[in-house]
Amino acid sequence: MSLFKIKNKKIVITGATGVLGETIATHFAREGAQVIIIGRTASKVERLLDKIRSFDGSADGYLADVTKEEQVKKAAAQIREHFGTVDILINLAGGNMPEAIVQPDQTIHDLSIEAMRKVMDLNYQGTLIPCKVFLELMLPKGEGNIINISSMAASRPMTRVAGYASAKAAIDNLTKWLAVELCSKHGEFFRVNAIAPGFFLTEQNRNLLQENNGNLTQRGNQIITHTPMKRFGDPEDLLGALQWLCSDASKFVTGTIIPVDGGFSAYSGV
């Protein structure tokens, strides 16, 4: 349906070279969007560009660490020179690190404050900085659309992932704040939303959810038990919600956090 079309939209995606990002970037390219990839590693960016171009999809790549404002500004300047403006920003860059996790045999005393700071920088500053920089490429059009990535851990704090949960809770707040700020200052055609994925088997959390032999860990079993659909998410499960948020079908939607979680957030455990 034309209501959901994203053809010719210029979509900037940070963190697109991961498991979820590659699926999303490839899908948007197949839908006719102009995909603009921001990544830190040239080889990974080039591999994704080659994949998209192999089916005649439209994609360009730029290098930047999203936690470094000057690097993001440099990439944005190159994008401005090439495309003039952009339509959509999807902030996929994020992640966790072992030192910001409290294992079952540890306490808060074992938590690395430096690791917590790095996780907050990657997830929060790595979202805020692109929002600030790429808004400048939306303002000339008088409209813009930003989609952030939250998590189930943002609204329902979970054991172990102290840094990641705190950072994603901040993303929820930032998303709502930006939604009000941009509408108030720049008009009704500026929108900011987030999706909150449930549990997906990515490189980031695979060791927490799955043993080397493929069996579920105790934590993985707990999650499946509390997920009414009784499975982890597939990357493709995110595509419908993202396309809806990117399209005019959601043009009156802003300041929302959309769960894509198989019912995890709705289940009380009984």
Side-chain angles (χ1 to χ4, degrees):
M1 292 178 59
S2 60
L3 188 63
F4 293 91
K5 73 176 181 179
I6 57 172
K7 187 175 182 180
N8 298 324
K9 287 187 181 290
K10 291 172 283 189
I11 305 177
V12 176
I13 307 176
T14 71
T17 58
V19 173
L20 301 181
E22 182 173 326
T23 299
I24 292 164
T26 302
H27 168 75
F28 285 152
R30 290 189 186 279
E31 290 289 301
Q34 169 62 56
V35 177
I36 304 168
I37 296 164
I38 306 290
R40 290 186 299 179
T41 307
S43 60
K44 292 182 178 180
V45 171
E46 284 302 320
R47 185 183 62 81
L48 181 53
L49 292 177
D50 288 344
K51 179 178 180 179
I52 292 173
R53 290 167 180 167
S54 71
F55 57 81
D56 295 326
S58 184
D60 286 82
Y62 300 86
L63 295 180
D65 180 338
V66 292
T67 67
K68 309 294 185 185
E69 186 174 3
E70 289 308 311
Q71 290 188 25
V72 178
K73 284 182 175 180
K74 181 179 178 180
Q78 294 170 331
I79 293 167
R80 186 198 299 269
E81 184 175 344
H82 192 153
F83 296 101
T85 60
V86 300
D87 300 300
I88 298 165
L89 167 66
I90 302 177
N91 285 304
L92 274 175
N96 204 355
M97 57 192 306
E99 296 82 5
I101 295 173
V102 179
Q103 299 292 354
D105 59 345
Q106 295 179 319
T107 71
I108 191 173
H109 297 291
D110 299 297
L111 194 63
S112 165
I113 297 302
E114 182 59 28
M116 290 284 286
R117 183 177 293 112
K118 288 180 179 178
V119 171
M120 289 295 294
D121 278 351
L122 174 57
N123 291 280
Y124 185 80
Q125 301 288 10
T127 295
L128 175 61
I129 289 170
C131 287
K132 175 184 175 184
V133 172
F134 284 104
L135 175 63
E136 296 301 317
L137 274 66
M138 298 175 181
L139 289 174
K141 292 172 57 68
E143 59 182 318
N145 188 353
I146 297 172
I147 302 169
N148 297 326
I149 306 299
S150 178
S151 168
M152 286 296 101
S155 57
R156 303 184 62 165
M158 297 169 193
T159 59
R160 304 194 193 183
V161 289
Y164 187 75
S166 298
K168 291 304 187 181
I171 292 297
D172 282 7
N173 187 280
L174 176 66
T175 297
K176 294 177 182 181
W177 184 87
L178 280 171
V180 175
E181 173 74 5
L182 298 194
C183 274
S184 299
K185 303 286 177 63
H186 305 296
E188 66 176 283
F189 299 113
F190 287 86
R191 302 193 290 123
V192 187
N193 293 285
I195 63 168
F199 296 87
F200 292 71
L201 282 176
T202 64
E203 295 310 310
Q204 173 187 308
N205 65 10
R206 187 177 298 274
N207 290 337
L208 286 172
L209 304 180
Q210 197 174 56
E211 304 282 5
N212 290 335
N213 61 9
N215 292 332
L216 295 180
T217 62
Q218 180 184 5
R219 187 180 185 85
N221 273 306
Q222 287 177 315
I223 289 166
I224 292 298
T225 299
H226 285 77
T227 302
M229 289 188 178
K230 300 301 181 189
R231 68 174 177 89
F232 297 124
D234 294 320
E236 291 77 12
D237 292 328
L238 298 174
L239 300 179
L242 283 170
Q243 181 141 349
W244 172 64
L245 287 174
C246 286
S247 72
D248 288 344
S250 60
K251 66 181 181 179
F252 196 53
V253 178
T254 196
T256 64
I257 316 295
I258 308 296
V260 185
D261 67 348
F264 180 89
S265 58
Y267 185 46
S268 67
V270 293

